[in-house]
Amino acid sequence: MAEEEQKEALLQKHYYENCPGCKVEKLKESQRGLPIRELVSIWIVVLCNALPISSLFPFLYFMIRDFHIATREEDIGYYAGYVGCSFLFGRALTSIFWGVVADRYGRKPVIIMGTIAVVIFNTLFGLSVNFWMAVAMRFLLGSLNGLLGPIKAYATELFREEYQALGVSTVSTAWGIGLIIGPALGGYLAQPAEKFPSIFSEESVFGRFPYFLPCLTISLFAVVVSIASCWLPETLHKHHENSKLDESCKDVETASLESGVKCKTQNIEGKASKKSLLRNWPLMSAIMAYCIFSLHDMAYSEIFSLWAVSPRRLGGLSYTTEDVGTVLSISGAGLLVFQTCLYPYVDKLLGPVLVARICGILSIPLLSSYPYIAMLTGLSLSIVLNCASVTKNVLSISVFTSLFLLQNKAVDQDQRGAANGIAMTAMSIFKAAGPAGGGAIFSWSQKRQDAAILPGNQMIFFILNVVLVIGVLMTFKPFLVQRRH
């Protein structure tokens, strides 16, 4: 009887009184039902940090035009690419640093710092008076906002195992919604003195800075989120009582030598998990696939907005920023419904690898149809374009959610922040190439409207599909490997 009690005592989890991570683990054990409050908290934080990333896309074309740095209309996309990639280049330089900070000091400080960076530098971007100021503000925003990596680790750690897929889905959904609502806000609120002359005069600050209003709106939201983030629970384990555990373990082991009961501590597991992340192939293979899809998605986001607002004589849709905002708002609503209600069931049925693979394959024929959508007009154009946009964004975010899950399952908690930092660095490098390359290809394609092979916009979407095919291939063995538990 005494032997059984000793075994049971050894198998029980040990919680440290002053460890925030242990408090969360203990709370998770007592929780039952859907953790709605935690889901909403993560949703709002991620949304706040995603909004400024792509809010500039609908008005970037006009912003570059107003800076008078492009000598020809066809060159605007070239300069727009540099503004678009400066944020991602800055994030690529600092993501590993922020991941290490999150592993050492906690997820919460990095979350708060990233949100404050949005308040400051997104506001200053809206007040940019020239091309180089715009590039500098976007670069600083990317450098000081290291939230995306740690928030994925945070979402994995905050929920019970049965809700982890929903938690990670919440991150990717909120991020995807932010990348859609952001351009919608940019489209509706940019150039307010022209759209709402009865409210905003040409002499007001919004008349002199026509792209300040969407940035200010997002920054005010970020102020509220920054304050609310102070009440988020910390999930990182901070154990300062290892010596006490070792002493108690020795006492138990001494008392149970005759019965053969062995003391197992978490230190052994900790040492086993400290292998180099760069040699963790399940992690690195998921990151590689994630990078390829990220390159495609960022290039698509920039090209879609540039294509929609460019004139029809150059193969575009001649949309206004408000028209683009409407399309992206509808896409956001469809994405929200799918990821919140359907994705967890699809993941449970097919698994993350199959979901990523199938969604990547389905995106290829969808993108091939875009040049032909531009031939439509009126109501038929609106209906088909909205359906295509909703479907494309649902497929893309499903791929990212699946790869998020694979990345976080490939490492233990004490390396999860650094692992996500590596993923963010690699992804940011690829994403930075997306707007720069997408803008350059867009400008080039507009100059070849009469080419014999893949004229005009057909070339853009063909190149996007080539990147997609590479991403799909990366979801097959031996490229993609899952961790064995």
Side-chain angles (χ1 to χ4, degrees):
M1 186 72 177
E3 181 182 339
E4 290 180 1
E5 289 178 355
Q6 287 173 349
K7 287 182 179 180
E8 186 177 347
L10 289 170
L11 290 172
Q12 285 180 347
K13 291 183 179 179
H14 182 86
Y15 294 112
Y16 292 87
E17 185 177 351
N18 297 318
C19 172
C22 286
K23 289 179 181 178
V24 171
E25 291 294 329
K26 196 171 183 179
L27 183 63
K28 279 161 43 176
E29 284 198 350
S30 62
Q31 278 183 337
R32 293 294 181 269
L34 192 65
I36 295 177
R37 186 177 66 180
E38 289 81 0
L39 288 170
V40 172
S41 299
I42 288 181
W43 170 273
I44 293 173
V45 170
V46 176
L47 179 65
C48 163
N49 285 266
L51 287 174
I53 293 179
S54 59
S55 61
L56 75 164
F57 286 152
F59 61 76
L60 186 56
Y61 188 92
F62 304 101
M63 189 183 218
I64 299 298
R65 182 197 64 188
D66 293 348
F67 287 152
H68 304 293
I69 193 169
T71 55
R72 296 181 300 172
E73 189 176 19
E74 291 87 343
D75 294 329
I76 289 177
Y78 177 77
Y79 289 98
Y82 283 107
V83 177
C85 77
S86 56
F87 171 90
L88 298 159
F89 180 64
R91 190 167 68 181
L93 295 179
T94 60
S95 288
I96 292 179
F97 166 77
W98 288 116
V100 172
V101 169
D103 280 343
R104 181 170 296 182
Y105 300 105
R107 296 17 172 157
K108 185 175 172 179
V110 177
I111 291 171
I112 294 173
M113 271 293 299
T115 310
I116 292 173
V118 171
V119 176
I120 298 171
F121 296 105
N122 187 59
T123 302
L124 291 174
F125 173 72
L127 296 170
S128 296
V129 294
N130 56 51
F131 173 75
W132 295 110
M133 180 179 176
V135 169
M137 291 305 103
R138 295 290 293 180
F139 174 79
L140 289 172
L141 176 59
S143 299
L144 297 175
N145 189 330
L147 175 138
L148 183 55
I151 198 70
K152 288 188 291 181
Y154 186 75
T156 305
E157 296 157 2
L158 192 60
F159 300 108
R160 295 168 62 93
E161 187 174 354
E162 60 264 34
Y163 296 117
Q164 283 182 2
L166 181 60
V168 177
S169 175
T170 300
V171 173
S172 56
T173 304
W175 194 261
I177 293 290
L179 297 183
I180 291 169
I181 294 179
L185 285 173
Y188 285 126
L189 301 180
Q191 301 168 318
E194 295 180 18
K195 295 176 183 174
F196 315 107
S198 60
I199 302 175
F200 303 97
S201 69
E202 290 288 346
E203 291 75 26
S204 68
V205 65
F206 300 111
R208 288 182 287 117
F209 299 97
Y211 312 105
F212 178 50
L213 183 58
C215 297
L216 179 63
T217 303
I218 293 169
S219 295
L220 290 175
F221 176 52
V223 170
V224 177
V225 176
S226 299
I227 297 170
S229 297
C230 296
W231 282 272
L232 288 174
E234 176 60 68
T235 59
L236 183 67
H237 287 276
K238 298 177 181 179
H239 297 165
H240 304 294
E241 304 174 8
N242 285 330
S243 58
K244 293 182 181 179
L245 177 62
D246 292 340
E247 288 175 7
S248 63
C249 189
K250 286 178 182 177
D251 294 340
V252 176
E253 186 174 357
T254 302
S256 57
L257 274 174
E258 293 181 0
S259 61
V261 178
K262 294 183 180 180
C263 181
K264 296 181 181 179
T265 70
Q266 293 178 339
N267 294 339
I268 298 173
E269 183 183 347
K271 290 179 182 176
S273 68
K274 288 291 184 182
K275 65 180 180 181
S276 170
L277 291 174
L278 297 178
R279 289 184 289 169
N280 183 335
W281 185 242
L283 171 66
M284 297 311 295
S285 62
I287 289 176
M288 288 167 64
Y290 179 57
C291 286
I292 299 298
F293 281 108
S294 296
L295 169 65
H296 162 81
D297 188 63
M298 204 65 193
Y300 167 80
S301 297
E302 170 132 335
I303 286 171
F304 179 83
S305 294
L306 292 175
W307 169 65
V309 300
S310 61
R312 281 195 171 270
R313 62 183 175 81
L314 296 176
L317 304 179
S318 293
Y319 269 24
T320 64
T321 56
E322 192 173 357
D323 294 330
V324 176
T326 301
V327 173
L328 296 176
S329 298
I330 294 170
S331 297
L335 181 62
L336 175 62
V337 171
F338 177 83
Q339 283 287 309
T340 305
C341 302
L342 299 178
Y343 178 82
Y345 299 102
V346 175
D347 176 77
K348 189 174 181 180
L349 179 66
L350 300 176
V353 176
L354 266 181
V355 171
R357 189 178 299 158
I358 292 171
C359 290
I361 292 171
L362 292 176
S363 298
I364 295 172
L366 179 63
L367 271 182
S368 300
S369 68
Y370 273 54
Y372 304 100
I373 292 176
M375 298 177 182
L376 300 174
T377 57
L379 182 62
S380 59
L381 170 62
S382 179
I383 294 173
V384 174
L385 183 64
N386 279 300
C387 291
S389 183
V390 169
T391 306
K392 177 67 180 69
N393 284 292
V394 163
L395 294 174
S396 293
I397 295 301
S398 297
V399 171
F400 288 131
T401 304
S402 301
L403 294 175
F404 286 166
L405 284 168
L406 292 174
Q407 287 173 33
N408 282 299
K409 289 178 179 178
V411 291
D412 297 318
Q413 193 208 33
D414 60 345
Q415 291 183 302
R416 204 167 278 152
N420 280 290
I422 293 172
M424 287 304 99
T425 296
M427 178 269 285
S428 296
I429 293 171
F430 277 75
K431 275 199 169 185
I441 294 170
F442 181 79
S443 294
W444 170 62
S445 67
Q446 287 194 329
K447 298 171 186 174
R448 54 186 309 278
Q449 297 294 327
D450 300 320
I453 300 175
L454 298 173
N457 291 329
Q458 290 187 31
M459 176 59 74
I460 299 173
F461 294 106
F462 172 76
I463 293 174
L464 286 176
N465 270 335
V466 169
V467 178
L468 258 182
V469 169
I470 295 172
V472 171
L473 291 175
M474 296 294 292
T475 65
F476 288 89
K477 291 183 179 180
F479 301 109
L480 187 63
V481 178
Q482 295 188 70
R483 182 186 184 187
R484 294 180 180 179
H485 291 279

